Amino acid sequence: MIPVAPAKEPPHFDKRVRKKGLSAIDELVGRKPRLKRPGRRRKKIAAREADIPADAFPPFWRDVLPDMLEAYERRCAYLALYFEHATGSPTIDHVLPKSRVWDQVYEWSNYRLCAALINTKKNDLTSLVDPFEVAEGWFALELVAFQVVRGPKAPPGKAKEIEETLRVLNMPECLKAREEYVTCYERGNIKLSYLERRAPFVASELRRQGRLLKEDS
């Protein structure tokens, strides 16, 4: 896991996501919607916004997934691994879950580009390290089993969040992905520049641990 710089909100986000989402919330709590739309009004399902079930929010955020893929260079914010065009499974993670913070459901600042595997595992946890807040050295890569571990600069005050995050990052599929990148690089099948684009956390850890190939050192 490496630091991720927040991308600027796209100009069309307010129209495509925020306004449509807030109007849908109006309907879900029985208010007159702020926007007109074709079709029947959504059925009231809650007396107040905080009681709307997480799965009842219309997923307008999916409309900006292409923007997020471009803004974040097609890399998962948590794994720092590239999404392939045909076989990748990119999703939008709500860092503050829909089940807990209704007024952030349709906010760009609450979105993280995230692999479906990680998003499912994370679910509605709020105790993970936010990729926008992580600093260099909080996480490291162990190059035998390819697990992410606590880094040399991990702050003691973030111990609980880091441990929770490690449990999410070290699923078997994640270990295998890191192993394949390291193996391909060490065999000379991929260049360092390619590794840095596709798996920058792996590349930075090989560099930090003195494991780069001779020609890249």
Side-chain angles (χ1 to χ4, degrees):
M1 194 171 185
I2 56 176
V4 177
K8 186 177 180 181
E9 179 180 306
H12 52 255
F13 180 83
D14 189 58
K15 180 179 180 180
R16 290 188 186 177
V17 180
R18 184 182 292 115
K19 287 181 178 177
K20 289 170 65 176
L22 293 176
S23 188
I25 289 174
D26 289 336
E27 295 181 67
L28 294 174
V29 296
R31 287 197 302 264
K32 180 180 178 181
R34 62 196 71 190
L35 297 179
K36 292 182 179 181
R37 67 179 184 86
R40 299 177 62 183
R41 183 180 296 187
R42 292 180 178 87
K43 183 179 178 181
K44 177 182 177 180
I45 62 171
R48 57 183 191 139
E49 293 89 344
D51 295 330
I52 299 173
D55 60 1
F57 292 102
F60 297 128
W61 52 85
R62 293 177 184 168
D63 291 344
V64 292
L65 181 56
D67 298 278
M68 296 199 71
L69 286 164
E70 181 178 357
Y72 295 109
E73 300 181 291
R74 301 189 66 87
R75 290 193 297 264
C76 173
Y78 295 90
L79 293 173
L81 294 176
Y82 185 84
F83 293 109
E84 297 293 341
H85 284 272
T87 58
S89 299
T91 66
I92 294 176
D93 167 51
H94 289 73
V95 69
L96 297 176
K98 301 186 294 294
S99 61
R100 302 192 184 192
V101 190
W102 71 269
D103 62 350
Q104 295 298 307
V105 171
Y106 300 107
E107 289 299 327
W108 173 265
S109 61
N110 193 38
Y111 299 164
R112 307 291 181 268
L113 185 61
C114 182
L117 180 72
I118 299 298
N119 208 347
T120 300
K121 182 73 172 178
K122 177 180 176 287
N123 198 9
D124 63 352
L125 291 175
T126 58
S127 54
L128 271 59
V129 175
D130 184 349
F132 288 179
E133 297 178 357
V134 68
E136 293 284 354
W138 284 21
F139 295 89
L141 180 61
E142 174 267 301
L143 292 168
V144 177
F146 303 95
Q147 296 186 74
V148 180
V149 297
R150 183 188 300 271
K153 297 182 180 179
K158 290 286 186 179
K160 181 179 179 180
E161 291 93 333
I162 288 174
E163 287 303 316
E164 290 282 352
T165 305
L166 293 176
R167 279 192 278 272
V168 172
L169 297 180
N170 286 323
M171 289 182 281
E173 298 91 338
C174 304
L175 306 184
K176 187 63 178 176
R178 297 182 196 111
E179 180 182 10
E180 288 184 358
Y181 271 114
V182 172
T183 300
C184 287
Y185 170 72
E186 291 182 338
R187 290 176 177 173
N189 296 330
I190 59 175
K191 301 280 189 183
L192 177 60
S193 58
Y194 181 93
L195 184 65
E196 289 173 331
R197 290 195 307 273
R198 296 297 183 101
F201 174 65
V202 172
S204 66
E205 281 298 290
L206 289 175
R207 185 183 300 279
R208 184 183 69 84
Q209 298 182 42
R211 292 283 296 271
L212 292 181
L213 298 177
K214 184 177 180 180
E215 60 266 30
D216 295 325
S217 301

